[in-house]
Amino acid sequence: MGAVKEIGDEVGVAKEEGQGKCSFDDIRSSYLSVETSLSFPLMTSRVIELCKDLFKKWANLDNSCFSVETVSGGITNLLLKVSTTEEDGKEVSVTVRLYGPNTEYVINRERELQAIKYLSAAGFGAKLLGVFGNGMVQSFIDARTLVPSDMRKPKLSAEIAKQLSSFHQVEIPGSKEPQLWHDIFKFFEKASTLQFDDIDKQRMYETISFDEVHKAVVELRELTGLLNSPIVFSHNDLLSGNLMLNDEQEKLYLIDFEYGSYNYRGFDIGNHFNEYAGYECDYSLYPNKDEQYHFFKHYLRPDKPHEVSEKDLRALYVETNTYMLASHLYWALWALIQAKMSPIDFDYLGYFFLRYKEYQKQKETSFSLAQSFLSGSGKA
């Protein structure tokens, strides 16, 4: 169904069915890298050189045969669409993803590359075609990126839920240990010892009580530990920018698995709901109970959503809206590290305060909900 234009056998994409059963020995690799700080003309030339190095079929094509355009410039990486006409007249396109500078402080690239191979084989995201010094090349997906308001549309919400349910069933080799609290404490350790050159930023940073933040993390970890949330391979960053839709074919794609890891189901769903707010953090857009139940029905029983029991809906509602708090703490601490490390023009420091204040605002309600449920009253 998907309108995915790609280079296929030429780059050795594994085609066997199944999850995690493919051979990936033929994925191309290059030692070249492309600096994101380059001017676009220089970057274009470097990207073409990279593609020629990866795909020998293109090696003798003149540079004038290629076009390079920006697909998106996120807050952690840059996506470029590279198109060319091969000698046989076939038009092909690929996506080149350049990692943002210093993102290794918050993203485990080895873990990402391991996962993307198996997720691609299971039908998620774009196919991995090649890797290079500071990025990867994937098949081009002919679709538009969603915006936050799309995610709350009932039909799309149901499809996202179904896709996420299937995504959570993919088996990735290696440790199945959930990474949430490991990552949060790792972020905390880095975030609590920063020093900013900018005086105003330093003053704002010094208003943060890291003793209070640490207490919040420990307290929430203890509470969520009582909920027995299933451990699944999670996307962990299912915002609108990581969802693409081919409107004509009504085909939805989950993309960009940078933060993917084994994690708690409730975190992945709660984090997705937080993203209804967009980068502006308008949390009045957080889905209400009816909207959440609609999502849960299609997540729990994609084949028969109307047969999901009230008991199962209530349990997932509590789980999701408790782990939703962990999402705020995770991205708040992430933002502090980015405020120091990232050259991208984004108010990361301000983003910390937006996320942490929303955690504080929602804490009492979410804790009461979970505690009431755990006490046996089952009220949600």
Side-chain angles (χ1 to χ4, degrees), residues 29-48:
S29 63
S30 171
Y31 290 109
L32 298 178
S33 61
V34 180
E35 294 302 319
T36 56
S37 59
L38 292 173
S39 65
F40 194 73
L42 284 174
M43 186 184 295
T44 295
S45 176
R46 187 70 170 168
V47 166
I48 293 171

Side-chain angles (χ1 to χ4, degrees), residues 136-343:
M136 64 178 66
V137 181
Q138 296 171 282
S139 59
F140 175 72
I141 295 177
D142 186 14
R144 69 175 178 89
T145 302
L146 296 191
V147 295
S149 59
D150 285 323
M151 298 192 298
R152 67 186 317 112
K153 295 175 182 176
K155 188 175 180 180
L156 265 178
S157 174
E159 185 59 30
I160 294 167
K162 290 176 185 177
Q163 290 255 9
L164 189 61
S165 179
S166 180
F167 187 93
H168 283 169
Q169 295 172 45
V170 178
E171 290 286 331
I172 307 294
S175 172
K176 303 292 194 291
E177 283 295 310
Q179 295 299 300
L180 176 62
W181 302 111
H182 168 79
D183 287 347
I184 285 181
F185 279 109
K186 181 180 71 176
F187 288 176
F188 178 86
E189 185 177 343
K190 292 175 180 173
S192 60
T193 56
L194 299 174
Q195 188 75 31
F196 291 90
D197 296 329
D198 184 289
I199 295 174
D200 291 334
K201 283 186 177 180
Q202 183 63 25
R203 284 174 179 164
M204 185 179 284
Y205 174 77
E206 289 174 357
T207 66
I208 301 168
S209 170
F210 283 101
D211 286 342
E212 180 186 282
V213 176
H214 188 269
K215 181 182 177 183
V217 171
V218 171
E219 194 175 27
L220 185 58
R221 180 180 63 174
E222 290 176 358
L223 178 62
T224 56
L226 302 173
L227 294 174
N228 297 315
S229 180
I231 297 166
V232 295
F233 191 84
S234 301
H235 188 286
N236 296 323
D237 192 24
L238 202 57
L239 73 167
S240 61
N242 288 335
L243 291 161
M244 298 185 75
L245 179 69
N246 182 298
D247 289 293
E248 189 176 311
Q249 300 186 359
E250 297 186 334
K251 172 68 176 176
L252 181 75
Y253 299 89
L254 275 62
I255 65 166
D256 200 344
F257 313 124
E258 287 186 308
Y259 294 92
S261 71
Y262 273 94
N263 226 336
Y264 303 99
R265 174 184 71 177
F267 176 79
D268 214 12
I269 300 174
N271 184 73
H272 172 62
F273 287 166
N274 275 336
E275 294 298 347
Y276 279 42
Y279 286 129
E280 296 76 22
C281 296
D282 180 2
Y283 292 106
S284 67
L285 299 175
Y286 187 82
N288 61 36
K289 190 173 182 179
D290 287 342
E291 289 173 317
Q292 291 190 42
Y293 271 32
H294 173 73
F295 185 97
F296 296 153
K297 287 175 183 178
H298 290 87
Y299 174 86
L300 291 169
R301 290 293 301 272
D303 54 338
K304 298 178 180 178
H306 299 297
E307 293 186 12
V308 178
S309 71
E310 181 67 25
K311 179 183 177 183
D312 287 344
L313 288 170
R314 189 164 58 243
L316 186 50
Y317 180 77
V318 173
E319 180 187 326
T320 296
N321 288 281
T322 309
Y323 274 99
M324 167 271 290
L325 294 176
S327 164
H328 287 307
L329 293 176
Y330 180 99
W331 294 110
L333 291 167
W334 168 92
L336 287 179
I337 299 169
Q338 293 288 71
K340 174 65 178 177
M341 303 296 180
S342 177

